[in-house]
Amino acid sequence: EAKVKADADANADVPAGLTAFLSSDVGASVPVDQADLARTLCKNSGQSHLFPAAHWPSPADPSLATAQCRMLSQLAAVHKETPGDDGLVGYIGRAVALLEASKAGTSPLSGFVPKVPRGRTLDPINRQKEYANMEARGMPELGKCGFVLVAGGLGERLGYGGIKIGLPTEMTTETSYMRLYAETILAYQAKHALPNQKLPLCIMTSGDTNARTLELLQ
């Protein structure tokens, strides 16, 4: 009876599909820390939408088990890499607090005095040696980077009816910006990444560009 009550408490406010999966034969093999994180994200961080009924049905669907296990593993990996002892849970909590403060008109920067930062201008023409030294130090770090492409706008201001990443970079080969970005990242990957390591590219789209971006990539 005590165990039943403990299980009920653990699964309170947790989507039925997630509970069903974690209670299944496959779910029973999920590492405890992954299961606990999923429950905590739902109960304490308002993230139940991560486990919609369409992909997390109740009773559990064995055909979805591989994808479900992969998602829990990915959440655990992100949780581990998120700065702070409380990982994803703390990150979400801080984000909520900042949004509530913004809604109330409270600035988290109140009391700070803005200053123009001191920087350095690297001139590849007049300071070639310094530029080359900096480049030599920076290039190997490309193998540890992820890349983000902001692609939410259309090319209307340029007199172009499509998405901007579909524009040609030059007229000889008509290589699109999307292809140029991808080939550049692949070149960085080939030269600077570890063997079998793939450098990630995240493309941020909008309602205007998402379908066309997918079409361009295909």
Side-chain angles (χ1 to χ4, degrees):
E1 182 179 345
K3 183 180 185 302
V4 171
K5 184 178 185 304
D7 289 344
D9 290 342
N11 293 318
D13 301 321
V14 175
L18 175 59
T19 299
F21 169 73
L22 293 175
S23 301
S24 69
D25 291 340
V26 176
S29 65
V30 170
V32 174
D33 62 321
Q34 294 184 15
D36 288 346
L37 173 63
R39 293 190 182 100
T40 300
L41 288 172
C42 294
K43 297 173 66 174
N44 300 343
S45 302
Q47 300 300 303
S48 294
H49 60 277
L50 294 175
F51 308 96
H55 301 291
W56 296 79
S58 180
D61 183 347
S63 68
L64 298 174
T66 299
Q68 291 168 329
C69 287
R70 182 168 59 246
M71 177 178 171
L72 294 180
S73 177
Q74 290 172 341
L75 282 173
V78 174
H79 178 69
K80 182 179 179 180
E81 295 298 326
T82 302
D85 295 336
D86 44 7
L88 267 179
V89 177
Y91 176 84
I92 294 169
R94 292 189 295 274
V96 169
L98 287 171
L99 287 171
E100 289 177 345
S102 177
K103 183 178 179 180
T106 303
S107 172
L109 301 178
S110 178
F112 287 86
V113 179
K115 296 180 180 179
V116 177
R118 297 177 61 185
R120 299 176 65 181
T121 300
L122 295 178
D123 187 341
I125 305 300
N126 299 313
R127 305 181 71 175
Q128 293 184 11
K129 185 175 181 180
E130 181 187 30
Y131 186 92
N133 289 338
M134 291 290 192
E135 184 178 51
R137 291 174 59 186
M139 289 295 284
E141 300 302 317
L142 288 171
K144 306 172 186 176
C145 291
F147 299 84
V148 178
L149 175 58
V150 181
L154 300 174
E156 295 168 335
R157 288 183 301 140
L158 305 174
Y160 180 66
I163 53 177
K164 284 185 281 190
I165 60 172
L167 279 165
T169 56
E170 42 82 21
M171 298 310 296
T172 304
T173 64
E174 296 189 352
T175 299
S176 69
Y177 278 97
M178 183 66 252
R179 187 177 188 87
L180 179 63
Y181 291 146
E183 290 179 345
T184 300
I185 294 170
L186 287 173
Y188 292 154
Q189 178 177 294
K191 188 170 183 179
H192 300 294
L194 295 174
N196 301 319
Q197 178 187 4
K198 293 185 178 181
L199 301 184
L201 168 63
C202 174
I203 305 176
M204 299 175 63
T205 62
S206 67
D208 291 329
T209 65
N210 189 69
R212 295 193 226 186
T213 300
L214 291 173
E215 182 180 357
L216 177 65
L217 291 172
Q218 291 170 353

